Amino acid sequence: WSSDVCSSDLFICDAEIVNNNLFLVGGIQGTATYQGNTLISNGSTDMCILKLDTSGAVLNKKNFGGSGEDFIYDIETDNSGNLFVCGAYSASFLAGSATFFSHAYLDGFLMKLDSSISPVWAATAGSLYNDAFRGMAIDSSGVIYITGHDGGYSFSIDGSSVILPNDESSFLLKYSSTGICLKGVDILYWGNTT
């Protein structure tokens, strides 16, 4: 089967198959409709998730976000079938009962979702510049590895400030299956190295 999911208001960044269901993640701008299912963004751009069955029919849909720009870049599942998404947000967004506020423009986030694609918990990190969680992998013990980029020296992980050795760099973060950041390393400096 095939289906048009690429309208001007809906963009898809990644897909994952879990228990014979296809999960599509990305973002929406304004009002987006897919197979008669409408999502309306809360702000400029919202993160979105579509859950499809094997025939491509929509089983569930959700969007999250605040007044700014919010995107999901990656979705992964662990060995138990739990869903995790990561991306970037600006201003604020609500995940379960917690509201997260960005430091300035874009900050990165990791979020665990339940079977109804509702947030269970979220973890965030960012600086006063543009930051994002761009990709992730989950090992067999449930440890989550996040790659991304940061725009500033003073990088805050879940409210705790970490001074990174380089401005505008890529990083690797290691999270527990419960959303606790275990370790972070700067892996590539984008600026002048002389």
Side-chain angles (χ1 to χ4, degrees), residues 2 9-10 26 30 39 43 66 78 84-85 90 98 100 108-109 118 124 143 167 175 177 180 182 186 193-194:
S2 68
D9 300 321
L10 171 68
L39 294 167
D78 65 12
F84 298 86
V85 295
S90 65
F100 295 90
F109 73 87
S118 294
T124 64
V143 173
D167 187 20
Y175 280 87
S177 60
I180 305 300
L182 304 172
D186 228 1
T193 59
T194 57

PDB file of all heavy atoms in Angstrom, residues 2 9-10 26 30 39 43 66 78 84-85 90 98 100 108-109 118 124 143 167 175 177 180 182 186 193-194:
ATOM      1  N   SER A   2       0.317   2.326  -0.382  1.00  0.00           N
ATOM      2  CA  SER A   2       1.021   3.610  -0.284  1.00  0.00           C
ATOM      3  C   SER A   2       0.015   4.658   0.136  1.00  0.00           C
ATOM      4  O   SER A   2      -1.184   4.512  -0.069  1.00  0.00           O
ATOM      5  CB  SER A   2       1.670   3.993  -1.619  1.00  0.00           C
ATOM      6  OG  SER A   2       0.675   4.276  -2.573  1.00  0.00           O
ATOM      7  N   ASP A   9       1.528  20.874   5.436  1.00  0.00           N
ATOM      8  CA  ASP A   9       1.352  21.116   6.871  1.00  0.00           C
ATOM      9  C   ASP A   9       1.873  19.993   7.761  1.00  0.00           C
ATOM     10  O   ASP A   9       1.896  20.123   8.973  1.00  0.00           O
ATOM     11  CB  ASP A   9      -0.133  21.332   7.180  1.00  0.00           C
ATOM     12  CG  ASP A   9      -0.708  22.508   6.431  1.00  0.00           C
ATOM     13  OD1 ASP A   9       0.007  23.509   6.322  1.00  0.00           O
ATOM     14  OD2 ASP A   9      -1.830  22.401   5.950  1.00  0.00           O
ATOM     15  N   LEU A  10       2.275  18.869   7.163  1.00  0.00           N
ATOM     16  CA  LEU A  10       2.725  17.705   7.910  1.00  0.00           C
ATOM     17  C   LEU A  10       4.051  17.242   7.337  1.00  0.00           C
ATOM     18  O   LEU A  10       4.182  17.083   6.133  1.00  0.00           O
ATOM     19  CB  LEU A  10       1.686  16.584   7.789  1.00  0.00           C
ATOM     20  CG  LEU A  10       2.044  15.198   8.319  1.00  0.00           C
ATOM     21  CD1 LEU A  10       2.162  15.210   9.828  1.00  0.00           C
ATOM     22  CD2 LEU A  10       0.981  14.194   7.889  1.00  0.00           C
ATOM     23  N   GLY A  26       7.310  13.513  13.451  1.00  0.00           N
ATOM     24  CA  GLY A  26       7.812  14.710  12.783  1.00  0.00           C
ATOM     25  C   GLY A  26       7.204  15.950  13.387  1.00  0.00           C
ATOM     26  O   GLY A  26       7.283  16.174  14.590  1.00  0.00           O
ATOM     27  N   GLY A  30       0.267  24.664  11.703  1.00  0.00           N
ATOM     28  CA  GLY A  30      -1.138  25.026  11.513  1.00  0.00           C
ATOM     29  C   GLY A  30      -2.036  23.823  11.658  1.00  0.00           C
ATOM     30  O   GLY A  30      -2.002  23.114  12.655  1.00  0.00           O
ATOM     31  N   LEU A  39      -4.959  17.296  12.906  1.00  0.00           N
ATOM     32  CA  LEU A  39      -4.117  17.755  14.007  1.00  0.00           C
ATOM     33  C   LEU A  39      -3.969  19.256  13.867  1.00  0.00           C
ATOM     34  O   LEU A  39      -3.765  19.768  12.765  1.00  0.00           O
ATOM     35  CB  LEU A  39      -2.732  17.100  13.949  1.00  0.00           C
ATOM     36  CG  LEU A  39      -2.680  15.594  14.179  1.00  0.00           C
ATOM     37  CD1 LEU A  39      -1.313  15.052  13.787  1.00  0.00           C
ATOM     38  CD2 LEU A  39      -2.977  15.278  15.629  1.00  0.00           C
ATOM     39  N   GLY A  43       1.151  26.099  18.319  1.00  0.00           N
ATOM     40  CA  GLY A  43       2.007  27.259  18.057  1.00  0.00           C
ATOM     41  C   GLY A  43       2.506  27.224  16.637  1.00  0.00           C
ATOM     42  O   GLY A  43       1.821  26.743  15.739  1.00  0.00           O
ATOM     43  N   GLY A  66       4.138  23.810  22.420  1.00  0.00           N
ATOM     44  CA  GLY A  66       3.689  25.070  22.980  1.00  0.00           C
ATOM     45  C   GLY A  66       3.565  26.111  21.882  1.00  0.00           C
ATOM     46  O   GLY A  66       3.237  25.801  20.747  1.00  0.00           O
ATOM     47  N   ASP A  78      12.490   0.051  22.828  1.00  0.00           N
ATOM     48  CA  ASP A  78      13.392  -0.836  23.556  1.00  0.00           C
ATOM     49  C   ASP A  78      12.911  -2.282  23.420  1.00  0.00           C
ATOM     50  O   ASP A  78      11.911  -2.556  22.750  1.00  0.00           O
ATOM     51  CB  ASP A  78      13.542  -0.394  25.015  1.00  0.00           C
ATOM     52  CG  ASP A  78      12.264  -0.498  25.814  1.00  0.00           C
ATOM     53  OD1 ASP A  78      11.271  -1.116  25.360  1.00  0.00           O
ATOM     54  OD2 ASP A  78      12.229   0.055  26.938  1.00  0.00           O
ATOM     55  N   PHE A  84      10.204   5.679  22.595  1.00  0.00           N
ATOM     56  CA  PHE A  84      10.958   6.862  22.990  1.00  0.00           C
ATOM     57  C   PHE A  84      11.100   7.761  21.774  1.00  0.00           C
ATOM     58  O   PHE A  84      11.332   7.272  20.657  1.00  0.00           O
ATOM     59  CB  PHE A  84      12.352   6.471  23.508  1.00  0.00           C
ATOM     60  CG  PHE A  84      12.308   5.613  24.729  1.00  0.00           C
ATOM     61  CD1 PHE A  84      12.190   4.241  24.634  1.00  0.00           C
ATOM     62  CD2 PHE A  84      12.378   6.189  25.990  1.00  0.00           C
ATOM     63  CE1 PHE A  84      12.145   3.435  25.770  1.00  0.00           C
ATOM     64  CE2 PHE A  84      12.330   5.397  27.131  1.00  0.00           C
ATOM     65  CZ  PHE A  84      12.208   4.020  27.024  1.00  0.00           C
ATOM     66  N   VAL A  85      10.943   9.059  21.973  1.00  0.00           N
ATOM     67  CA  VAL A  85      11.136  10.029  20.892  1.00  0.00           C
ATOM     68  C   VAL A  85      12.112  11.098  21.374  1.00  0.00           C
ATOM     69  O   VAL A  85      12.235  11.359  22.569  1.00  0.00           O
ATOM     70  CB  VAL A  85       9.807  10.681  20.431  1.00  0.00           C
ATOM     71  CG1 VAL A  85       8.885   9.658  19.797  1.00  0.00           C
ATOM     72  CG2 VAL A  85       9.107  11.395  21.578  1.00  0.00           C
ATOM     73  N   SER A  90      11.013  24.844  21.403  1.00  0.00           N
ATOM     74  CA  SER A  90      11.273  26.215  21.848  1.00  0.00           C
ATOM     75  C   SER A  90      10.088  26.685  22.674  1.00  0.00           C
ATOM     76  O   SER A  90       9.010  26.114  22.603  1.00  0.00           O
ATOM     77  CB  SER A  90      11.510  27.151  20.656  1.00  0.00           C
ATOM     78  OG  SER A  90      10.351  27.266  19.865  1.00  0.00           O
ATOM     79  N   ALA A  98       4.059  17.561  33.445  1.00  0.00           N
ATOM     80  CA  ALA A  98       5.188  18.486  33.577  1.00  0.00           C
ATOM     81  C   ALA A  98       5.278  19.423  32.377  1.00  0.00           C
ATOM     82  O   ALA A  98       5.098  19.009  31.237  1.00  0.00           O
ATOM     83  CB  ALA A  98       6.492  17.713  33.710  1.00  0.00           C
ATOM     84  N   PHE A 100       7.829  21.972  30.366  1.00  0.00           N
ATOM     85  CA  PHE A 100       9.250  22.252  30.181  1.00  0.00           C
ATOM     86  C   PHE A 100       9.404  23.566  29.429  1.00  0.00           C
ATOM     87  O   PHE A 100       8.682  23.831  28.473  1.00  0.00           O
ATOM     88  CB  PHE A 100       9.920  21.114  29.399  1.00  0.00           C
ATOM     89  CG  PHE A 100       9.912  19.826  30.157  1.00  0.00           C
ATOM     90  CD1 PHE A 100       8.859  18.934  30.040  1.00  0.00           C
ATOM     91  CD2 PHE A 100      10.948  19.512  31.020  1.00  0.00           C
ATOM     92  CE1 PHE A 100       8.833  17.748  30.755  1.00  0.00           C
ATOM     93  CE2 PHE A 100      10.945  18.329  31.743  1.00  0.00           C
ATOM     94  CZ  PHE A 100       9.882  17.446  31.610  1.00  0.00           C
ATOM     95  N   GLY A 108      16.918  20.521  23.417  1.00  0.00           N
ATOM     96  CA  GLY A 108      16.655  19.133  23.075  1.00  0.00           C
ATOM     97  C   GLY A 108      15.793  18.451  24.116  1.00  0.00           C
ATOM     98  O   GLY A 108      15.747  18.851  25.274  1.00  0.00           O
ATOM     99  N   PHE A 109      15.093  17.384  23.689  1.00  0.00           N
ATOM    100  CA  PHE A 109      14.285  16.612  24.634  1.00  0.00           C
ATOM    101  C   PHE A 109      14.318  15.132  24.273  1.00  0.00           C
ATOM    102  O   PHE A 109      14.514  14.752  23.123  1.00  0.00           O
ATOM    103  CB  PHE A 109      12.830  17.099  24.679  1.00  0.00           C
ATOM    104  CG  PHE A 109      12.028  16.716  23.467  1.00  0.00           C
ATOM    105  CD1 PHE A 109      11.364  15.495  23.401  1.00  0.00           C
ATOM    106  CD2 PHE A 109      11.955  17.571  22.386  1.00  0.00           C
ATOM    107  CE1 PHE A 109      10.645  15.138  22.275  1.00  0.00           C
ATOM    108  CE2 PHE A 109      11.239  17.218  21.252  1.00  0.00           C
ATOM    109  CZ  PHE A 109      10.581  15.999  21.201  1.00  0.00           C
ATOM    110  N   SER A 118       0.855   8.646  24.741  1.00  0.00           N
ATOM    111  CA  SER A 118       0.837   9.772  25.671  1.00  0.00           C
ATOM    112  C   SER A 118       2.163   9.805  26.429  1.00  0.00           C
ATOM    113  O   SER A 118       2.747   8.752  26.690  1.00  0.00           O
ATOM    114  CB  SER A 118      -0.311   9.638  26.669  1.00  0.00           C
ATOM    115  OG  SER A 118      -1.544   9.735  25.992  1.00  0.00           O
ATOM    116  N   THR A 124      15.120  17.032  29.391  1.00  0.00           N
ATOM    117  CA  THR A 124      15.509  18.102  28.475  1.00  0.00           C
ATOM    118  C   THR A 124      16.943  18.549  28.727  1.00  0.00           C
ATOM    119  O   THR A 124      17.504  18.312  29.786  1.00  0.00           O
ATOM    120  CB  THR A 124      14.586  19.325  28.624  1.00  0.00           C
ATOM    121  OG1 THR A 124      14.741  19.860  29.949  1.00  0.00           O
ATOM    122  CG2 THR A 124      13.134  18.964  28.386  1.00  0.00           C
ATOM    123  N   VAL A 143      19.472   1.214  28.056  1.00  0.00           N
ATOM    124  CA  VAL A 143      20.182   2.488  28.116  1.00  0.00           C
ATOM    125  C   VAL A 143      20.012   3.208  26.780  1.00  0.00           C
ATOM    126  O   VAL A 143      20.110   2.608  25.706  1.00  0.00           O
ATOM    127  CB  VAL A 143      21.682   2.266  28.438  1.00  0.00           C
ATOM    128  CG1 VAL A 143      22.458   3.566  28.331  1.00  0.00           C
ATOM    129  CG2 VAL A 143      21.822   1.676  29.834  1.00  0.00           C
ATOM    130  N   ASP A 167      32.241  25.551  22.152  1.00  0.00           N
ATOM    131  CA  ASP A 167      31.024  26.198  21.701  1.00  0.00           C
ATOM    132  C   ASP A 167      30.624  25.552  20.376  1.00  0.00           C
ATOM    133  O   ASP A 167      31.474  25.146  19.600  1.00  0.00           O
ATOM    134  CB  ASP A 167      31.311  27.694  21.520  1.00  0.00           C
ATOM    135  CG  ASP A 167      30.058  28.494  21.220  1.00  0.00           C
ATOM    136  OD1 ASP A 167      28.955  28.005  21.510  1.00  0.00           O
ATOM    137  OD2 ASP A 167      30.204  29.605  20.703  1.00  0.00           O
ATOM    138  N   TYR A 175      21.454   8.114  28.716  1.00  0.00           N
ATOM    139  CA  TYR A 175      20.331   8.187  29.660  1.00  0.00           C
ATOM    140  C   TYR A 175      19.926   6.798  30.134  1.00  0.00           C
ATOM    141  O   TYR A 175      19.966   5.832  29.369  1.00  0.00           O
ATOM    142  CB  TYR A 175      19.102   8.832  28.998  1.00  0.00           C
ATOM    143  CG  TYR A 175      19.149  10.335  28.923  1.00  0.00           C
ATOM    144  CD1 TYR A 175      19.764  10.982  27.861  1.00  0.00           C
ATOM    145  CD2 TYR A 175      18.559  11.109  29.911  1.00  0.00           C
ATOM    146  CE1 TYR A 175      19.791  12.369  27.782  1.00  0.00           C
ATOM    147  CE2 TYR A 175      18.585  12.490  29.850  1.00  0.00           C
ATOM    148  CZ  TYR A 175      19.202  13.111  28.788  1.00  0.00           C
ATOM    149  OH  TYR A 175      19.234  14.485  28.711  1.00  0.00           O
ATOM    150  N   SER A 177      16.916   4.142  31.439  1.00  0.00           N
ATOM    151  CA  SER A 177      15.572   3.882  30.901  1.00  0.00           C
ATOM    152  C   SER A 177      14.498   4.685  31.612  1.00  0.00           C
ATOM    153  O   SER A 177      13.351   4.740  31.173  1.00  0.00           O
ATOM    154  CB  SER A 177      15.247   2.391  30.985  1.00  0.00           C
ATOM    155  OG  SER A 177      15.283   1.974  32.342  1.00  0.00           O
ATOM    156  N   ILE A 180      17.148   9.487  33.399  1.00  0.00           N
ATOM    157  CA  ILE A 180      18.226  10.139  34.153  1.00  0.00           C
ATOM    158  C   ILE A 180      19.470  10.185  33.276  1.00  0.00           C
ATOM    159  O   ILE A 180      19.897   9.154  32.746  1.00  0.00           O
ATOM    160  CB  ILE A 180      18.545   9.366  35.452  1.00  0.00           C
ATOM    161  CG1 ILE A 180      17.288   9.186  36.308  1.00  0.00           C
ATOM    162  CG2 ILE A 180      19.672  10.044  36.226  1.00  0.00           C
ATOM    163  CD1 ILE A 180      16.634  10.471  36.742  1.00  0.00           C
ATOM    164  N   LEU A 182      23.083   9.914  32.538  1.00  0.00           N
ATOM    165  CA  LEU A 182      24.180   9.220  33.194  1.00  0.00           C
ATOM    166  C   LEU A 182      25.543   9.784  32.813  1.00  0.00           C
ATOM    167  O   LEU A 182      26.470   9.761  33.608  1.00  0.00           O
ATOM    168  CB  LEU A 182      24.139   7.723  32.846  1.00  0.00           C
ATOM    169  CG  LEU A 182      22.829   7.014  33.174  1.00  0.00           C
ATOM    170  CD1 LEU A 182      22.838   5.601  32.610  1.00  0.00           C
ATOM    171  CD2 LEU A 182      22.600   7.003  34.680  1.00  0.00           C
ATOM    172  N   ASP A 186      31.309  15.851  24.811  1.00  0.00           N
ATOM    173  CA  ASP A 186      31.449  16.668  23.614  1.00  0.00           C
ATOM    174  C   ASP A 186      32.205  15.830  22.598  1.00  0.00           C
ATOM    175  O   ASP A 186      33.266  15.294  22.917  1.00  0.00           O
ATOM    176  CB  ASP A 186      32.290  17.903  23.974  1.00  0.00           C
ATOM    177  CG  ASP A 186      31.684  19.190  23.493  1.00  0.00           C
ATOM    178  OD1 ASP A 186      30.613  19.159  22.890  1.00  0.00           O
ATOM    179  OD2 ASP A 186      32.314  20.234  23.720  1.00  0.00           O
ATOM    180  N   THR A 193      39.677  25.594  14.846  1.00  0.00           N
ATOM    181  CA  THR A 193      40.513  24.738  15.683  1.00  0.00           C
ATOM    182  C   THR A 193      41.959  25.179  15.744  1.00  0.00           C
ATOM    183  O   THR A 193      42.805  24.486  16.294  1.00  0.00           O
ATOM    184  CB  THR A 193      40.462  23.268  15.171  1.00  0.00           C
ATOM    185  OG1 THR A 193      40.927  23.244  13.823  1.00  0.00           O
ATOM    186  CG2 THR A 193      39.060  22.721  15.272  1.00  0.00           C
ATOM    187  N   THR A 194      42.301  26.342  15.178  1.00  0.00           N
ATOM    188  CA  THR A 194      43.695  26.797  15.211  1.00  0.00           C
ATOM    189  C   THR A 194      43.985  27.616  16.437  1.00  0.00           C
ATOM    190  O   THR A 194      43.136  28.150  17.076  1.00  0.00           O
ATOM    191  CB  THR A 194      44.030  27.646  13.967  1.00  0.00           C
ATOM    192  OG1 THR A 194      43.114  28.748  13.929  1.00  0.00           O
ATOM    193  CG2 THR A 194      43.904  26.790  12.722  1.00  0.00           C
TER     194      THR A 194
END
